[in-house]
Amino acid sequence: MENHKATEPIVFVIFGASGDLTSRKLVPAVYNLYLDKFVGVNFSLIGVDRRSHPEDEYRGLLRKGVDEFSRRGKTQDAEWDVFSKRLSFMDGDFSDPNTYKQLGDRIAAIKQQLNTEVHTIFYFATPPSVVEMLVHGLGAAGLTKDEKRSRVVIEKPFGRDLESAQELDIKLLTELKESQIYRIDHYLGKETVQNIMAFRFGNSLMEPLWNRRYVDHVQITVAEEVGVEHRGGYYDKSGALRDMIQNHLMQILCYIAMEAPVAFEADEIRNKKVDVLRAIRPIEAEQVNQFAVRGQYDSGWIRGEQVPSYRKEPSVNPDSGTETFAAVKLLIDNWRWEGVPFYLRSGKRMPARVSEVVMQFRPVPHLSFPSSAIPDFTPNRLVLRIQPNEGIFIRIQVKQPGATFRLRGADMHFLYKETFKVAEPEAYETLLLDIAHGDATQFMRADQVEAAWKVVMPIINAWEGSTPIEFPNYPSGSWGPDAAVTLLARDGRNWWVPTAIQDHT
Ligand code: BG6
């Protein structure tokens, strides 16, 4: 969150170094930070994995990942050659103390060579099941002893439910201080998500309207076109509620609903977010069906191509009851939002990849126009488009030019690509830099993660306790099951078709 300059020497250790996250996100992010001179030549990256790779082959693999996934496109030889000298690989079993001993020796050699202390960032790009083992191995080898200079980064989902998250926290805190733990949610690194605070608290035109007096309801949609791809093994044990709603969507909701922070400080902002989660009305066990909907994709068509059903995806149980779509209605019991529903939905194999927040305002108190002037009248609507074609849109009513007096809707818009000509950094770039500087504002504190689990636990319990006989219940390429439409229709509302689809701006 702070404005960062180049960092002190960093040793960046990635556990799970042959995995997807490393090649698609982490290494491209580090490479871009290097090109942008946010990390100097005195950084080192050590990849650790069970699968062994000769050093050269490993560097080649990482380069391929950068070429394919970096926002800058293909690497240039001269730049890559210098950068790749900072990359090395170590194979090792995470359960073997010797792995951590060897790692410690490597870090010590780097310090000696640089003749200075270094910051060590241990990134767990691994399944959640090995997190405890890693923390214990690092702790036993004394690698996380320096509270100021060593940090661990843990990917979501943090635990599988409230109980396991609490147990994991207790175990982590036997080896680490809370200030060393960075629970990462990459949505918090997205420019458009960070911009919610700027937009709300930097504009006197906006903030006074964000409350129950003016807002009818809020919708948060995170839709993906892709299916589970090759992550069936992980996803089948997770599902949309744990994979997306409990973290990414809940974080967006916190920014939309939080009170203004007194200061722009990590704990202050995180306190305000926790207040939102604590104010969400608990869903009673017998009411889950009125507040939550689950779905699983069937085969269907996406961009003219036939795609298989979820149950036919690799590493997925052919009778799987895992949801690939979830929609939830939440109510926030506080002065600002009492009675304003927040509808959240996320799913795979939807018609498009689009994430948007829609704030639907109430109609004006009194329409003085003749009925002939307002056949198409719609109340104001604010759309924050998180991705793609990032921007903000405000639907207003204007007089249609002509001799007769007639109102019609028009959009005022801000588009990143129009206003800012430079490419935005990727979420992981922003977040890695924050970690390097020890800035925890955009990371989740233990109480925040637990509060988010508390919100979804009644739904998890209800869903785990009943087999979804209706699955699969939505075709690929659709907006989810009919029950999701009913969820809003019961309240006399309907889901907004994302602007990204409507206007292709
Ligand atoms: C990840 C989920 O956290 O976010 C994935 O595990 C999902 O299932 C991804 O595809 C979506 O991220 P983005 O940045 O592409 O919206």
Side-chain angles (χ1 to χ4, degrees):
M1 275 257 135
E2 284 163 23
N3 296 322
H4 302 310
K5 299 200 196 67
T7 62
E8 289 166 11
I10 293 172
V11 180
F12 185 49
V13 180
I14 306 180
F15 291 95
S18 327
D20 249 29
L21 182 67
T22 304
S23 57
R24 283 176 182 239
K25 298 284 184 193
L26 300 180
V27 177
V30 178
Y31 186 56
N32 282 322
L33 288 175
Y34 165 75
L35 292 181
D36 290 334
K37 303 198 172 25
F38 281 116
V39 295
V41 277
N42 54 8
F43 88 96
S44 310
L45 188 152
I46 308 174
V48 188
D49 209 295
R50 292 191 167 111
R51 220 177 305 160
S52 105
H53 295 282
E55 293 272 353
D56 276 353
E57 181 190 304
Y58 186 62
R59 290 198 183 103
L61 261 172
L62 297 186
R63 183 169 191 178
K64 200 164 153 259
V66 176
D67 284 344
E68 195 174 343
F69 299 109
S70 165
R71 65 182 162 87
R72 284 195 162 94
K74 275 195 178 298
T75 49
Q76 304 297 319
D77 284 345
E79 291 163 340
W80 177 262
D81 288 349
V82 181
F83 175 80
S84 68
K85 293 210 170 52
R86 315 309 307 163
L87 311 178
S88 62
F89 181 78
M90 227 190 85
D91 57 338
D93 185 334
F94 299 162
S95 63
D96 181 358
N98 206 27
T99 303
Y100 305 93
K101 157 103 188 36
Q102 277 181 37
L103 180 61
D105 292 346
R106 283 209 191 192
I107 296 172
I110 294 170
K111 279 192 206 169
Q112 205 177 15
Q113 195 193 352
L114 293 171
N115 194 23
T116 173
E117 283 301 332
V118 295
H119 283 89
T120 40
I121 299 173
F122 299 103
Y123 200 112
F124 304 164
T126 57
S129 51
V130 297
V131 166
E132 219 182 296
M133 187 189 283
L134 292 170
V135 169
H136 183 68
L138 290 169
L143 295 177
T144 47
K145 198 166 66 213
D146 185 340
E147 284 170 30
K148 292 227 154 30
R149 292 200 175 82
S150 64
R151 289 158 205 160
V152 303
V153 189
I154 303 174
E155 273 286 338
K156 52 130 287 249
F158 188 86
R160 274 192 56 71
D161 51 22
L162 177 60
E163 206 184 325
S164 57
Q166 285 170 331
E167 279 168 14
L168 184 55
D169 274 325
I170 292 171
K171 287 181 182 139
L172 294 185
L173 291 169
T174 59
E175 304 283 355
L176 302 161
K177 292 274 178 292
E178 174 67 30
S179 59
Q180 292 178 276
I181 306 171
Y182 286 72
R183 298 173 190 79
I184 195 166
D185 178 323
H186 78 278
Y187 266 59
L188 295 181
K190 287 185 191 276
E191 277 295 335
T192 41
V193 175
Q194 298 198 346
N195 187 44
I196 298 174
M197 283 227 288
F199 186 61
R200 279 191 69 185
F201 303 126
N203 294 294
S204 53
L205 198 63
M206 282 296 130
E207 178 50 23
L209 303 181
W210 290 40
N211 57 52
R212 63 191 301 278
R213 193 154 169 221
Y214 298 103
V215 178
D216 177 75
H217 75 279
V218 177
Q219 299 183 12
I220 304 177
T221 296
V222 177
E224 296 185 274
E225 229 177 76
V226 292
V228 281
E229 300 175 289
H230 42 273
R231 293 166 73 228
Y234 150 76
Y235 194 89
D236 211 30
K237 294 195 201 73
S238 177
L241 194 66
R242 287 187 171 93
D243 188 51
M244 300 294 288
I245 305 262
Q246 188 269 347
N247 32 77
H248 302 328
L249 280 87
M250 213 76 97
Q251 291 300 322
I252 298 175
L253 170 105
C254 284
Y255 276 137
I256 299 290
M258 70 190 263
E259 294 302 320
V262 175
F264 219 65
E265 288 162 6
D267 271 331
E268 170 60 6
I269 291 174
R270 298 196 289 183
N271 289 343
K272 290 290 193 284
K273 288 162 80 177
V274 174
D275 282 349
V276 173
L277 296 171
R278 286 176 48 226
I280 293 177
R281 187 179 302 170
I283 299 175
E284 302 293 336
E286 57 285 358
Q287 289 185 324
V288 167
N289 285 343
Q290 289 158 45
F291 282 83
V293 168
R294 59 180 160 172
Q296 188 190 71
Y297 63 81
D298 202 345
S299 55
W301 294 84
I302 302 260
R303 292 181 186 260
E305 258 185 49
Q306 195 160 24
V307 293
S309 69
Y310 174 68
R311 289 179 176 177
K312 295 228 164 66
E313 299 279 17
S315 313
V316 167
N317 174 353
D319 300 316
S320 176
T322 301
E323 80 284 355
T324 57
F325 172 96
V328 181
K329 168 181 165 182
L330 298 174
L331 293 165
I332 301 177
D333 287 335
N334 63 18
W335 277 48
R336 183 187 282 270
W337 295 116
E338 194 62 34
V340 179
F342 283 70
Y343 301 100
L344 279 52
R345 67 173 165 171
S346 179
K348 293 203 184 275
R349 289 286 191 228
M350 311 259 98
R353 175 178 184 255
V354 56
S355 302
E356 282 188 354
V357 178
V358 179
M359 187 171 279
Q360 177 65 63
F361 287 90
R362 293 186 189 283
V364 294
H366 171 64
L367 276 172
S368 33
F369 309 102
S371 55
S372 58
I374 47 172
D376 320 310
F377 182 85
T378 48
N380 296 133
R381 181 188 298 124
L382 168 73
V383 178
L384 307 180
R385 196 191 288 158
I386 309 288
Q387 61 192 23
N389 283 331
E390 294 75 5
I392 296 177
F393 304 80
I394 301 176
R395 170 51 62 110
I396 51 171
Q397 291 292 317
V398 293
K399 178 184 174 294
Q400 184 168 326
T404 52
F405 198 94
R406 186 169 173 159
L407 269 61
R408 54 158 281 201
D411 273 339
M412 290 171 41
H413 76 258
F414 148 66
L415 274 175
Y416 279 76
K417 67 177 178 208
E418 271 176 16
T419 307
F420 304 111
K421 307 292 178 209
V422 291
E424 302 150 31
E426 283 278 342
Y428 276 94
E429 292 171 37
T430 311
L431 294 175
L432 288 179
L433 197 58
D434 283 350
I435 300 165
H437 287 91
D439 180 353
T441 316
Q442 300 294 359
F443 296 83
M444 293 175 296
R445 219 170 41 191
D447 55 342
Q448 203 181 342
V449 176
E450 289 177 15
W453 277 121
K454 269 190 201 145
V455 173
V456 295
M457 280 320 293
I459 308 174
I460 290 183
N461 291 335
W463 287 357
E464 286 189 345
S466 73
T467 313
I469 42 170
E470 71 279 21
F471 276 8
N473 59 353
Y474 70 95
S476 286
S478 74
W479 285 106
D482 293 343
V485 177
T486 314
L487 181 75
L488 269 70
R490 269 202 299 264
D491 297 343
R493 302 186 172 102
N494 55 285
W495 291 104
W496 165 248
V497 179
T499 51
I501 317 279
Q502 291 178 10
D503 59 21
H504 304 279
T505 312

